[in-house]
Amino acid sequence: MIVAGFGFRESATLASLESALQAANEDARRVVALATLESKAEQLAPLAQKLALPLLRVSPDLLARQSVQTRSAKAHAIHGTGSVAEAAALAAAGPAARLVSPRFISADRLAACALAASTRDESHPA
């Protein structure tokens, strides 16, 4: 299963989120769920609805426990991780997940998306 994880600014639009997903998923992998930090889930809901995909909410403590490739000092200071997008994807895909697409940023630089894969049939409860 492939989970798309998102991190974004409050000013990100639906177009921002779509742009980030498109950049991360150039190979058109079959994404089965979207994930983000609990506090940002409401803003990602319109994209989940548009794509008819479940929206997985990741707790801050689970997010901070993920090992990510990207090292953003600002994200680390605010959220305890170098990439909210990568950490959300990994956390939601479950304990055996691996990053298949590191963080890609939307054209307007307001959103980021990363993809994680797991062999599990169900997503890990985030």
PDB file of all heavy atoms in Angstrom, residues 2-8 17 20-21 24 31-37 44 47 54-56 58 63 83-93 99-105 111-117:
ATOM      1  N   ILE A   2       0.416   2.292  -0.640  1.00  0.00           N
ATOM      2  CA  ILE A   2       1.141   3.570  -0.706  1.00  0.00           C
ATOM      3  C   ILE A   2       0.316   4.638   0.009  1.00  0.00           C
ATOM      4  O   ILE A   2      -0.868   4.830  -0.291  1.00  0.00           O
ATOM      5  CB  ILE A   2       1.372   4.022  -2.167  1.00  0.00           C
ATOM      6  CG1 ILE A   2       2.124   2.966  -2.969  1.00  0.00           C
ATOM      7  CG2 ILE A   2       2.084   5.375  -2.208  1.00  0.00           C
ATOM      8  CD1 ILE A   2       3.574   2.836  -2.660  1.00  0.00           C
ATOM      9  N   VAL A   3       0.942   5.344   0.936  1.00  0.00           N
ATOM     10  CA  VAL A   3       0.313   6.451   1.651  1.00  0.00           C
ATOM     11  C   VAL A   3       1.039   7.730   1.267  1.00  0.00           C
ATOM     12  O   VAL A   3       2.273   7.776   1.271  1.00  0.00           O
ATOM     13  CB  VAL A   3       0.375   6.248   3.176  1.00  0.00           C
ATOM     14  CG1 VAL A   3      -0.182   7.464   3.910  1.00  0.00           C
ATOM     15  CG2 VAL A   3      -0.380   4.995   3.586  1.00  0.00           C
ATOM     16  N   ALA A   4       0.281   8.760   0.950  1.00  0.00           N
ATOM     17  CA  ALA A   4       0.838  10.080   0.665  1.00  0.00           C
ATOM     18  C   ALA A   4       0.742  10.919   1.934  1.00  0.00           C
ATOM     19  O   ALA A   4      -0.351  11.152   2.448  1.00  0.00           O
ATOM     20  CB  ALA A   4       0.073  10.758  -0.465  1.00  0.00           C
ATOM     21  N   GLY A   5       1.897  11.343   2.426  1.00  0.00           N
ATOM     22  CA  GLY A   5       1.948  12.187   3.605  1.00  0.00           C
ATOM     23  C   GLY A   5       2.119  13.644   3.205  1.00  0.00           C
ATOM     24  O   GLY A   5       2.819  13.935   2.227  1.00  0.00           O
ATOM     25  N   PHE A   6       1.490  14.531   3.945  1.00  0.00           N
ATOM     26  CA  PHE A   6       1.518  15.959   3.618  1.00  0.00           C
ATOM     27  C   PHE A   6       1.930  16.804   4.803  1.00  0.00           C
ATOM     28  O   PHE A   6       1.548  16.541   5.939  1.00  0.00           O
ATOM     29  CB  PHE A   6       0.125  16.439   3.177  1.00  0.00           C
ATOM     30  CG  PHE A   6      -0.293  15.950   1.839  1.00  0.00           C
ATOM     31  CD1 PHE A   6      -0.867  14.701   1.689  1.00  0.00           C
ATOM     32  CD2 PHE A   6      -0.111  16.734   0.713  1.00  0.00           C
ATOM     33  CE1 PHE A   6      -1.258  14.236   0.442  1.00  0.00           C
ATOM     34  CE2 PHE A   6      -0.492  16.284  -0.536  1.00  0.00           C
ATOM     35  CZ  PHE A   6      -1.068  15.028  -0.670  1.00  0.00           C
ATOM     36  N   GLY A   7       2.678  17.848   4.478  1.00  0.00           N
ATOM     37  CA  GLY A   7       2.966  18.939   5.386  1.00  0.00           C
ATOM     38  C   GLY A   7       2.691  20.204   4.597  1.00  0.00           C
ATOM     39  O   GLY A   7       2.923  20.233   3.386  1.00  0.00           O
ATOM     40  N   PHE A   8       2.165  21.222   5.245  1.00  0.00           N
ATOM     41  CA  PHE A   8       1.803  22.420   4.483  1.00  0.00           C
ATOM     42  C   PHE A   8       1.580  23.603   5.419  1.00  0.00           C
ATOM     43  O   PHE A   8       1.363  23.440   6.607  1.00  0.00           O
ATOM     44  CB  PHE A   8       0.558  22.191   3.626  1.00  0.00           C
ATOM     45  CG  PHE A   8      -0.554  21.491   4.354  1.00  0.00           C
ATOM     46  CD1 PHE A   8      -1.498  22.202   5.072  1.00  0.00           C
ATOM     47  CD2 PHE A   8      -0.651  20.105   4.317  1.00  0.00           C
ATOM     48  CE1 PHE A   8      -2.511  21.551   5.746  1.00  0.00           C
ATOM     49  CE2 PHE A   8      -1.660  19.443   4.992  1.00  0.00           C
ATOM     50  CZ  PHE A   8      -2.600  20.169   5.708  1.00  0.00           C
ATOM     51  N   LEU A  17      -1.882  21.549  -2.578  1.00  0.00           N
ATOM     52  CA  LEU A  17      -1.823  20.152  -2.159  1.00  0.00           C
ATOM     53  C   LEU A  17      -1.779  19.214  -3.360  1.00  0.00           C
ATOM     54  O   LEU A  17      -1.010  18.247  -3.390  1.00  0.00           O
ATOM     55  CB  LEU A  17      -3.011  19.829  -1.260  1.00  0.00           C
ATOM     56  CG  LEU A  17      -3.071  20.646   0.039  1.00  0.00           C
ATOM     57  CD1 LEU A  17      -4.420  20.490   0.713  1.00  0.00           C
ATOM     58  CD2 LEU A  17      -1.936  20.268   0.972  1.00  0.00           C
ATOM     59  N   ALA A  20       1.727  19.329  -4.928  1.00  0.00           N
ATOM     60  CA  ALA A  20       2.699  18.554  -4.157  1.00  0.00           C
ATOM     61  C   ALA A  20       2.526  17.059  -4.409  1.00  0.00           C
ATOM     62  O   ALA A  20       3.506  16.333  -4.604  1.00  0.00           O
ATOM     63  CB  ALA A  20       2.558  18.868  -2.670  1.00  0.00           C
ATOM     64  N   LEU A  21       1.275  16.593  -4.427  1.00  0.00           N
ATOM     65  CA  LEU A  21       1.012  15.174  -4.693  1.00  0.00           C
ATOM     66  C   LEU A  21       1.482  14.788  -6.083  1.00  0.00           C
ATOM     67  O   LEU A  21       2.122  13.749  -6.271  1.00  0.00           O
ATOM     68  CB  LEU A  21      -0.475  14.869  -4.528  1.00  0.00           C
ATOM     69  CG  LEU A  21      -0.912  13.432  -4.836  1.00  0.00           C
ATOM     70  CD1 LEU A  21      -0.181  12.433  -3.951  1.00  0.00           C
ATOM     71  CD2 LEU A  21      -2.419  13.298  -4.681  1.00  0.00           C
ATOM     72  N   ALA A  24       5.297  14.470  -6.139  1.00  0.00           N
ATOM     73  CA  ALA A  24       5.789  13.286  -5.434  1.00  0.00           C
ATOM     74  C   ALA A  24       5.423  11.993  -6.144  1.00  0.00           C
ATOM     75  O   ALA A  24       6.119  10.991  -6.023  1.00  0.00           O
ATOM     76  CB  ALA A  24       5.232  13.255  -4.015  1.00  0.00           C
ATOM     77  N   VAL A  31      -1.952   5.422  -4.809  1.00  0.00           N
ATOM     78  CA  VAL A  31      -2.057   5.930  -3.445  1.00  0.00           C
ATOM     79  C   VAL A  31      -3.395   5.470  -2.872  1.00  0.00           C
ATOM     80  O   VAL A  31      -4.437   5.627  -3.507  1.00  0.00           O
ATOM     81  CB  VAL A  31      -1.948   7.473  -3.428  1.00  0.00           C
ATOM     82  CG1 VAL A  31      -2.231   8.030  -2.049  1.00  0.00           C
ATOM     83  CG2 VAL A  31      -0.573   7.907  -3.931  1.00  0.00           C
ATOM     84  N   VAL A  32      -3.353   4.905  -1.658  1.00  0.00           N
ATOM     85  CA  VAL A  32      -4.579   4.382  -1.060  1.00  0.00           C
ATOM     86  C   VAL A  32      -5.086   5.226   0.111  1.00  0.00           C
ATOM     87  O   VAL A  32      -6.192   5.003   0.592  1.00  0.00           O
ATOM     88  CB  VAL A  32      -4.421   2.909  -0.608  1.00  0.00           C
ATOM     89  CG1 VAL A  32      -4.084   2.024  -1.801  1.00  0.00           C
ATOM     90  CG2 VAL A  32      -3.394   2.769   0.488  1.00  0.00           C
ATOM     91  N   ALA A  33      -4.265   6.184   0.575  1.00  0.00           N
ATOM     92  CA  ALA A  33      -4.684   7.042   1.685  1.00  0.00           C
ATOM     93  C   ALA A  33      -3.806   8.288   1.720  1.00  0.00           C
ATOM     94  O   ALA A  33      -2.678   8.279   1.226  1.00  0.00           O
ATOM     95  CB  ALA A  33      -4.583   6.299   3.009  1.00  0.00           C
ATOM     96  N   LEU A  34      -4.346   9.337   2.330  1.00  0.00           N
ATOM     97  CA  LEU A  34      -3.605  10.567   2.572  1.00  0.00           C
ATOM     98  C   LEU A  34      -3.408  10.695   4.079  1.00  0.00           C
ATOM     99  O   LEU A  34      -4.263  10.262   4.858  1.00  0.00           O
ATOM    100  CB  LEU A  34      -4.372  11.780   2.061  1.00  0.00           C
ATOM    101  CG  LEU A  34      -4.846  11.759   0.603  1.00  0.00           C
ATOM    102  CD1 LEU A  34      -5.511  13.085   0.255  1.00  0.00           C
ATOM    103  CD2 LEU A  34      -3.701  11.466  -0.342  1.00  0.00           C
ATOM    104  N   ALA A  35      -2.288  11.304   4.484  1.00  0.00           N
ATOM    105  CA  ALA A  35      -2.005  11.440   5.913  1.00  0.00           C
ATOM    106  C   ALA A  35      -1.360  12.782   6.203  1.00  0.00           C
ATOM    107  O   ALA A  35      -0.625  13.323   5.376  1.00  0.00           O
ATOM    108  CB  ALA A  35      -1.073  10.321   6.365  1.00  0.00           C
ATOM    109  N   THR A  36      -1.643  13.284   7.393  1.00  0.00           N
ATOM    110  CA  THR A  36      -1.001  14.502   7.873  1.00  0.00           C
ATOM    111  C   THR A  36      -1.140  14.556   9.387  1.00  0.00           C
ATOM    112  O   THR A  36      -1.803  13.707  10.008  1.00  0.00           O
ATOM    113  CB  THR A  36      -1.587  15.772   7.214  1.00  0.00           C
ATOM    114  OG1 THR A  36      -0.705  16.867   7.456  1.00  0.00           O
ATOM    115  CG2 THR A  36      -2.981  16.094   7.712  1.00  0.00           C
ATOM    116  N   LEU A  37      -0.553  15.558   9.955  1.00  0.00           N
ATOM    117  CA  LEU A  37      -0.628  15.810  11.382  1.00  0.00           C
ATOM    118  C   LEU A  37      -2.087  16.053  11.780  1.00  0.00           C
ATOM    119  O   LEU A  37      -2.840  16.695  11.033  1.00  0.00           O
ATOM    120  CB  LEU A  37       0.227  17.036  11.678  1.00  0.00           C
ATOM    121  CG  LEU A  37       0.574  17.371  13.109  1.00  0.00           C
ATOM    122  CD1 LEU A  37       1.287  16.221  13.804  1.00  0.00           C
ATOM    123  CD2 LEU A  37       1.467  18.610  13.128  1.00  0.00           C
ATOM    124  N   LEU A  44      -6.593  19.250   4.831  1.00  0.00           N
ATOM    125  CA  LEU A  44      -6.320  18.242   3.804  1.00  0.00           C
ATOM    126  C   LEU A  44      -7.595  17.503   3.383  1.00  0.00           C
ATOM    127  O   LEU A  44      -7.638  16.874   2.329  1.00  0.00           O
ATOM    128  CB  LEU A  44      -5.271  17.243   4.315  1.00  0.00           C
ATOM    129  CG  LEU A  44      -4.733  16.205   3.358  1.00  0.00           C
ATOM    130  CD1 LEU A  44      -4.129  16.840   2.101  1.00  0.00           C
ATOM    131  CD2 LEU A  44      -3.707  15.314   4.046  1.00  0.00           C
ATOM    132  N   LEU A  47      -8.979  17.543  -0.331  1.00  0.00           N
ATOM    133  CA  LEU A  47      -8.255  16.717  -1.302  1.00  0.00           C
ATOM    134  C   LEU A  47      -8.620  15.250  -1.125  1.00  0.00           C
ATOM    135  O   LEU A  47      -8.857  14.541  -2.106  1.00  0.00           O
ATOM    136  CB  LEU A  47      -6.740  16.911  -1.188  1.00  0.00           C
ATOM    137  CG  LEU A  47      -5.904  16.095  -2.183  1.00  0.00           C
ATOM    138  CD1 LEU A  47      -6.254  16.435  -3.635  1.00  0.00           C
ATOM    139  CD2 LEU A  47      -4.409  16.316  -1.929  1.00  0.00           C
ATOM    140  N   PRO A  54      -9.211   7.740   2.042  1.00  0.00           N
ATOM    141  CA  PRO A  54      -9.278   7.992   3.477  1.00  0.00           C
ATOM    142  C   PRO A  54      -8.211   8.994   3.905  1.00  0.00           C
ATOM    143  O   PRO A  54      -7.126   9.058   3.313  1.00  0.00           O
ATOM    144  CB  PRO A  54      -9.024   6.621   4.105  1.00  0.00           C
ATOM    145  CG  PRO A  54      -8.561   5.736   3.024  1.00  0.00           C
ATOM    146  CD  PRO A  54      -8.853   6.378   1.709  1.00  0.00           C
ATOM    147  N   LEU A  55      -8.522   9.745   4.934  1.00  0.00           N
ATOM    148  CA  LEU A  55      -7.598  10.719   5.503  1.00  0.00           C
ATOM    149  C   LEU A  55      -7.164  10.203   6.869  1.00  0.00           C
ATOM    150  O   LEU A  55      -8.001  10.015   7.755  1.00  0.00           O
ATOM    151  CB  LEU A  55      -8.277  12.080   5.632  1.00  0.00           C
ATOM    152  CG  LEU A  55      -7.493  13.187   6.322  1.00  0.00           C
ATOM    153  CD1 LEU A  55      -6.148  13.418   5.651  1.00  0.00           C
ATOM    154  CD2 LEU A  55      -8.312  14.465   6.339  1.00  0.00           C
ATOM    155  N   LEU A  56      -5.873   9.962   7.024  1.00  0.00           N
ATOM    156  CA  LEU A  56      -5.320   9.436   8.268  1.00  0.00           C
ATOM    157  C   LEU A  56      -4.670  10.570   9.052  1.00  0.00           C
ATOM    158  O   LEU A  56      -3.882  11.330   8.505  1.00  0.00           O
ATOM    159  CB  LEU A  56      -4.308   8.331   7.968  1.00  0.00           C
ATOM    160  CG  LEU A  56      -4.825   7.214   7.048  1.00  0.00           C
ATOM    161  CD1 LEU A  56      -3.725   6.237   6.716  1.00  0.00           C
ATOM    162  CD2 LEU A  56      -6.007   6.504   7.696  1.00  0.00           C
ATOM    163  N   VAL A  58      -2.253  11.786  12.038  1.00  0.00           N
ATOM    164  CA  VAL A  58      -1.083  11.309  12.772  1.00  0.00           C
ATOM    165  C   VAL A  58      -0.867  12.183  14.003  1.00  0.00           C
ATOM    166  O   VAL A  58      -0.849  13.413  13.900  1.00  0.00           O
ATOM    167  CB  VAL A  58       0.173  11.334  11.870  1.00  0.00           C
ATOM    168  CG1 VAL A  58       1.396  10.876  12.630  1.00  0.00           C
ATOM    169  CG2 VAL A  58      -0.048  10.479  10.619  1.00  0.00           C
ATOM    170  N   LEU A  63       4.421  11.201  14.943  1.00  0.00           N
ATOM    171  CA  LEU A  63       5.113  11.925  13.881  1.00  0.00           C
ATOM    172  C   LEU A  63       6.589  12.117  14.245  1.00  0.00           C
ATOM    173  O   LEU A  63       7.475  11.852  13.439  1.00  0.00           O
ATOM    174  CB  LEU A  63       4.438  13.275  13.660  1.00  0.00           C
ATOM    175  CG  LEU A  63       4.932  14.062  12.458  1.00  0.00           C
ATOM    176  CD1 LEU A  63       4.120  13.691  11.230  1.00  0.00           C
ATOM    177  CD2 LEU A  63       4.828  15.545  12.721  1.00  0.00           C
ATOM    178  N   SER A  83      10.763  16.524   8.442  1.00  0.00           N
ATOM    179  CA  SER A  83       9.772  16.619   7.370  1.00  0.00           C
ATOM    180  C   SER A  83       8.431  16.072   7.850  1.00  0.00           C
ATOM    181  O   SER A  83       8.308  14.866   8.100  1.00  0.00           O
ATOM    182  CB  SER A  83      10.221  15.829   6.140  1.00  0.00           C
ATOM    183  OG  SER A  83       9.163  15.746   5.195  1.00  0.00           O
ATOM    184  N   VAL A  84       7.455  16.928   7.960  1.00  0.00           N
ATOM    185  CA  VAL A  84       6.114  16.496   8.352  1.00  0.00           C
ATOM    186  C   VAL A  84       5.551  15.550   7.292  1.00  0.00           C
ATOM    187  O   VAL A  84       4.945  14.529   7.619  1.00  0.00           O
ATOM    188  CB  VAL A  84       5.179  17.706   8.571  1.00  0.00           C
ATOM    189  CG1 VAL A  84       3.731  17.257   8.779  1.00  0.00           C
ATOM    190  CG2 VAL A  84       5.661  18.531   9.755  1.00  0.00           C
ATOM    191  N   ALA A  85       5.767  15.856   6.022  1.00  0.00           N
ATOM    192  CA  ALA A  85       5.241  15.016   4.940  1.00  0.00           C
ATOM    193  C   ALA A  85       5.810  13.597   5.011  1.00  0.00           C
ATOM    194  O   ALA A  85       5.061  12.615   4.962  1.00  0.00           O
ATOM    195  CB  ALA A  85       5.555  15.646   3.580  1.00  0.00           C
ATOM    196  N   GLU A  86       7.121  13.480   5.127  1.00  0.00           N
ATOM    197  CA  GLU A  86       7.744  12.159   5.183  1.00  0.00           C
ATOM    198  C   GLU A  86       7.321  11.405   6.441  1.00  0.00           C
ATOM    199  O   GLU A  86       6.971  10.221   6.376  1.00  0.00           O
ATOM    200  CB  GLU A  86       9.270  12.292   5.132  1.00  0.00           C
ATOM    201  CG  GLU A  86       9.780  12.767   3.792  1.00  0.00           C
ATOM    202  CD  GLU A  86      11.283  12.993   3.766  1.00  0.00           C
ATOM    203  OE1 GLU A  86      11.980  12.642   4.747  1.00  0.00           O
ATOM    204  OE2 GLU A  86      11.775  13.535   2.745  1.00  0.00           O
ATOM    205  N   ALA A  87       7.339  12.087   7.583  1.00  0.00           N
ATOM    206  CA  ALA A  87       6.972  11.446   8.840  1.00  0.00           C
ATOM    207  C   ALA A  87       5.510  11.001   8.848  1.00  0.00           C
ATOM    208  O   ALA A  87       5.183   9.910   9.323  1.00  0.00           O
ATOM    209  CB  ALA A  87       7.258  12.387  10.009  1.00  0.00           C
ATOM    210  N   ALA A  88       4.624  11.818   8.299  1.00  0.00           N
ATOM    211  CA  ALA A  88       3.205  11.455   8.250  1.00  0.00           C
ATOM    212  C   ALA A  88       2.991  10.231   7.367  1.00  0.00           C
ATOM    213  O   ALA A  88       2.237   9.324   7.724  1.00  0.00           O
ATOM    214  CB  ALA A  88       2.376  12.627   7.748  1.00  0.00           C
ATOM    215  N   ALA A  89       3.656  10.202   6.219  1.00  0.00           N
ATOM    216  CA  ALA A  89       3.525   9.053   5.315  1.00  0.00           C
ATOM    217  C   ALA A  89       4.017   7.776   5.986  1.00  0.00           C
ATOM    218  O   ALA A  89       3.339   6.738   5.943  1.00  0.00           O
ATOM    219  CB  ALA A  89       4.295   9.316   4.020  1.00  0.00           C
ATOM    220  N   LEU A  90       5.185   7.844   6.606  1.00  0.00           N
ATOM    221  CA  LEU A  90       5.750   6.664   7.265  1.00  0.00           C
ATOM    222  C   LEU A  90       4.889   6.206   8.435  1.00  0.00           C
ATOM    223  O   LEU A  90       4.617   5.007   8.578  1.00  0.00           O
ATOM    224  CB  LEU A  90       7.172   6.965   7.739  1.00  0.00           C
ATOM    225  CG  LEU A  90       8.214   7.092   6.633  1.00  0.00           C
ATOM    226  CD1 LEU A  90       9.486   7.748   7.168  1.00  0.00           C
ATOM    227  CD2 LEU A  90       8.524   5.734   6.017  1.00  0.00           C
ATOM    228  N   ALA A  91       4.460   7.138   9.264  1.00  0.00           N
ATOM    229  CA  ALA A  91       3.643   6.780  10.433  1.00  0.00           C
ATOM    230  C   ALA A  91       2.331   6.134  10.019  1.00  0.00           C
ATOM    231  O   ALA A  91       1.912   5.125  10.586  1.00  0.00           O
ATOM    232  CB  ALA A  91       3.381   8.016  11.283  1.00  0.00           C
ATOM    233  N   ALA A  92       1.687   6.691   9.014  1.00  0.00           N
ATOM    234  CA  ALA A  92       0.389   6.175   8.580  1.00  0.00           C
ATOM    235  C   ALA A  92       0.505   4.841   7.852  1.00  0.00           C
ATOM    236  O   ALA A  92      -0.412   4.022   7.909  1.00  0.00           O
ATOM    237  CB  ALA A  92      -0.302   7.200   7.689  1.00  0.00           C
ATOM    238  N   ALA A  93       1.614   4.616   7.173  1.00  0.00           N
ATOM    239  CA  ALA A  93       1.795   3.355   6.441  1.00  0.00           C
ATOM    240  C   ALA A  93       2.156   2.201   7.367  1.00  0.00           C
ATOM    241  O   ALA A  93       2.050   1.043   6.978  1.00  0.00           O
ATOM    242  CB  ALA A  93       2.858   3.521   5.358  1.00  0.00           C
ATOM    243  N   LEU A  99      10.148   4.801   2.879  1.00  0.00           N
ATOM    244  CA  LEU A  99       9.908   5.962   2.026  1.00  0.00           C
ATOM    245  C   LEU A  99      10.199   5.592   0.579  1.00  0.00           C
ATOM    246  O   LEU A  99      11.266   5.078   0.269  1.00  0.00           O
ATOM    247  CB  LEU A  99      10.831   7.100   2.473  1.00  0.00           C
ATOM    248  CG  LEU A  99      10.370   8.516   2.272  1.00  0.00           C
ATOM    249  CD1 LEU A  99       9.019   8.791   2.898  1.00  0.00           C
ATOM    250  CD2 LEU A  99      11.409   9.473   2.824  1.00  0.00           C
ATOM    251  N   VAL A 100       9.246   5.807  -0.323  1.00  0.00           N
ATOM    252  CA  VAL A 100       9.457   5.542  -1.749  1.00  0.00           C
ATOM    253  C   VAL A 100       9.591   6.823  -2.552  1.00  0.00           C
ATOM    254  O   VAL A 100      10.036   6.804  -3.693  1.00  0.00           O
ATOM    255  CB  VAL A 100       8.355   4.646  -2.365  1.00  0.00           C
ATOM    256  CG1 VAL A 100       8.394   3.259  -1.748  1.00  0.00           C
ATOM    257  CG2 VAL A 100       6.986   5.263  -2.229  1.00  0.00           C
ATOM    258  N   SER A 101       9.203   7.926  -1.948  1.00  0.00           N
ATOM    259  CA  SER A 101       9.361   9.231  -2.573  1.00  0.00           C
ATOM    260  C   SER A 101       9.580  10.241  -1.460  1.00  0.00           C
ATOM    261  O   SER A 101       8.686  10.445  -0.641  1.00  0.00           O
ATOM    262  CB  SER A 101       8.119   9.602  -3.385  1.00  0.00           C
ATOM    263  OG  SER A 101       8.240  10.897  -3.916  1.00  0.00           O
ATOM    264  N   PRO A 102      10.761  10.841  -1.394  1.00  0.00           N
ATOM    265  CA  PRO A 102      10.981  11.833  -0.353  1.00  0.00           C
ATOM    266  C   PRO A 102      10.098  13.050  -0.582  1.00  0.00           C
ATOM    267  O   PRO A 102       9.368  13.121  -1.577  1.00  0.00           O
ATOM    268  CB  PRO A 102      12.461  12.186  -0.512  1.00  0.00           C
ATOM    269  CG  PRO A 102      12.757  11.901  -1.937  1.00  0.00           C
ATOM    270  CD  PRO A 102      11.880  10.741  -2.310  1.00  0.00           C
ATOM    271  N   ARG A 103      10.203  13.981   0.281  1.00  0.00           N
ATOM    272  CA  ARG A 103       9.384  15.189   0.221  1.00  0.00           C
ATOM    273  C   ARG A 103       9.584  15.947  -1.090  1.00  0.00           C
ATOM    274  O   ARG A 103      10.701  16.244  -1.490  1.00  0.00           O
ATOM    275  CB  ARG A 103       9.764  16.080   1.393  1.00  0.00           C
ATOM    276  CG  ARG A 103       9.049  17.401   1.427  1.00  0.00           C
ATOM    277  CD  ARG A 103       9.614  18.275   2.498  1.00  0.00           C
ATOM    278  NE  ARG A 103      10.868  18.856   2.023  1.00  0.00           N
ATOM    279  CZ  ARG A 103      11.497  19.849   2.606  1.00  0.00           C
ATOM    280  NH1 ARG A 103      11.035  20.348   3.723  1.00  0.00           N
ATOM    281  NH2 ARG A 103      12.609  20.324   2.118  1.00  0.00           N
ATOM    282  N   PHE A 104       8.477  16.224  -1.757  1.00  0.00           N
ATOM    283  CA  PHE A 104       8.457  17.093  -2.935  1.00  0.00           C
ATOM    284  C   PHE A 104       7.589  18.284  -2.585  1.00  0.00           C
ATOM    285  O   PHE A 104       6.568  18.145  -1.925  1.00  0.00           O
ATOM    286  CB  PHE A 104       7.872  16.379  -4.159  1.00  0.00           C
ATOM    287  CG  PHE A 104       8.869  15.493  -4.854  1.00  0.00           C
ATOM    288  CD1 PHE A 104       9.131  14.213  -4.378  1.00  0.00           C
ATOM    289  CD2 PHE A 104       9.564  15.942  -5.962  1.00  0.00           C
ATOM    290  CE1 PHE A 104      10.044  13.395  -5.005  1.00  0.00           C
ATOM    291  CE2 PHE A 104      10.493  15.134  -6.603  1.00  0.00           C
ATOM    292  CZ  PHE A 104      10.739  13.857  -6.116  1.00  0.00           C
ATOM    293  N   ILE A 105       7.982  19.444  -3.063  1.00  0.00           N
ATOM    294  CA  ILE A 105       7.293  20.683  -2.707  1.00  0.00           C
ATOM    295  C   ILE A 105       6.431  21.160  -3.867  1.00  0.00           C
ATOM    296  O   ILE A 105       6.820  21.048  -5.029  1.00  0.00           O
ATOM    297  CB  ILE A 105       8.328  21.754  -2.296  1.00  0.00           C
ATOM    298  CG1 ILE A 105       9.097  21.236  -1.074  1.00  0.00           C
ATOM    299  CG2 ILE A 105       7.661  23.080  -1.981  1.00  0.00           C
ATOM    300  CD1 ILE A 105      10.242  22.099  -0.640  1.00  0.00           C
ATOM    301  N   ALA A 111       3.128  23.623   0.119  1.00  0.00           N
ATOM    302  CA  ALA A 111       2.793  22.267   0.547  1.00  0.00           C
ATOM    303  C   ALA A 111       3.901  21.311   0.133  1.00  0.00           C
ATOM    304  O   ALA A 111       4.623  21.552  -0.834  1.00  0.00           O
ATOM    305  CB  ALA A 111       1.471  21.828  -0.070  1.00  0.00           C
ATOM    306  N   ALA A 112       4.007  20.228   0.888  1.00  0.00           N
ATOM    307  CA  ALA A 112       4.970  19.174   0.575  1.00  0.00           C
ATOM    308  C   ALA A 112       4.262  17.835   0.682  1.00  0.00           C
ATOM    309  O   ALA A 112       3.336  17.661   1.485  1.00  0.00           O
ATOM    310  CB  ALA A 112       6.151  19.225   1.529  1.00  0.00           C
ATOM    311  N   CYS A 113       4.707  16.892  -0.125  1.00  0.00           N
ATOM    312  CA  CYS A 113       4.136  15.546  -0.118  1.00  0.00           C
ATOM    313  C   CYS A 113       5.259  14.533  -0.251  1.00  0.00           C
ATOM    314  O   CYS A 113       6.233  14.748  -0.973  1.00  0.00           O
ATOM    315  CB  CYS A 113       3.152  15.393  -1.277  1.00  0.00           C
ATOM    316  SG  CYS A 113       2.395  13.754  -1.390  1.00  0.00           S
ATOM    317  N   ALA A 114       5.124  13.423   0.459  1.00  0.00           N
ATOM    318  CA  ALA A 114       6.051  12.300   0.374  1.00  0.00           C
ATOM    319  C   ALA A 114       5.225  11.022   0.338  1.00  0.00           C
ATOM    320  O   ALA A 114       4.089  10.993   0.826  1.00  0.00           O
ATOM    321  CB  ALA A 114       6.988  12.288   1.572  1.00  0.00           C
ATOM    322  N   LEU A 115       5.779   9.963  -0.239  1.00  0.00           N
ATOM    323  CA  LEU A 115       5.073   8.692  -0.327  1.00  0.00           C
ATOM    324  C   LEU A 115       5.812   7.623   0.463  1.00  0.00           C
ATOM    325  O   LEU A 115       7.042   7.528   0.398  1.00  0.00           O
ATOM    326  CB  LEU A 115       4.962   8.229  -1.778  1.00  0.00           C
ATOM    327  CG  LEU A 115       4.293   9.182  -2.763  1.00  0.00           C
ATOM    328  CD1 LEU A 115       4.281   8.556  -4.152  1.00  0.00           C
ATOM    329  CD2 LEU A 115       2.890   9.549  -2.325  1.00  0.00           C
ATOM    330  N   ALA A 116       5.057   6.818   1.181  1.00  0.00           N
ATOM    331  CA  ALA A 116       5.619   5.680   1.911  1.00  0.00           C
ATOM    332  C   ALA A 116       4.864   4.426   1.504  1.00  0.00           C
ATOM    333  O   ALA A 116       3.660   4.482   1.234  1.00  0.00           O
ATOM    334  CB  ALA A 116       5.522   5.895   3.415  1.00  0.00           C
ATOM    335  N   ALA A 117       5.589   3.315   1.475  1.00  0.00           N
ATOM    336  CA  ALA A 117       4.994   2.042   1.092  1.00  0.00           C
ATOM    337  C   ALA A 117       5.087   1.045   2.242  1.00  0.00           C
ATOM    338  O   ALA A 117       6.050   1.056   3.014  1.00  0.00           O
ATOM    339  CB  ALA A 117       5.707   1.460  -0.116  1.00  0.00           C
TER     340      ALA A 117
END
